[in-house]
Amino acid sequence: MKLKTDDFFIGRMERDIAERLLNKMLVGTFMVRTSPRNNLNIISVKLKDAVKHFQLLSDERRKLFVAGKEKRKFKTLEDLVKYYRKKSISMQEVSLVILQFVILSLLH
């Protein structure tokens, strides 16, 4: 099954609301949301004891990347999410942070 933006993009959502939703979910559950505060897209993902947020940025060629991970760039949001469903999005965590479950499919 091909993953589409509609499957994981929530739209505008405050950080605290995303955390409340994700804290009730399984580890690895994620969403992509737009921060009303700075209008950036953010990947929010449920960890074992917390929710972690990763800013998504784009370069001058409109290639997307996770802030702090400029070496790995993607043409589309779908490509970025697909990659981080197989590879850890965070190198600083003790455990791997892999995007596993799409929040919208768990809410239905």
Side-chain angles (χ1 to χ4, degrees), residues 9-14 32-40:
F9 186 72
I10 298 292
R12 295 179 74 77
M13 182 180 286
E14 295 284 350
V32 178
R33 63 186 178 83
T34 301
S35 170
R37 190 174 54 102
N38 57 20
N39 215 33
L40 290 175

Side-chain angles (χ1 to χ4, degrees), residues 19 22-23 25-29 44-53 93:
E19 288 177 354
L22 287 167
N23 274 323
M25 300 295 171
L26 300 169
V27 171
T29 302
S44 299
V45 60
K46 170 72 163 99
L47 308 180
K48 183 178 179 184
D49 298 318
V51 173
K52 184 121 174 145
H53 307 275
E93 299 297 321

Side-chain angles (χ1 to χ4, degrees), residues 68-81:
K69 295 180 160 283
E70 289 80 7
K71 291 182 181 178
R72 175 71 58 189
K73 296 184 180 181
F74 304 89
K75 280 186 174 181
T76 67
L77 185 54
E78 290 90 346
D79 291 341
L80 184 146
V81 168

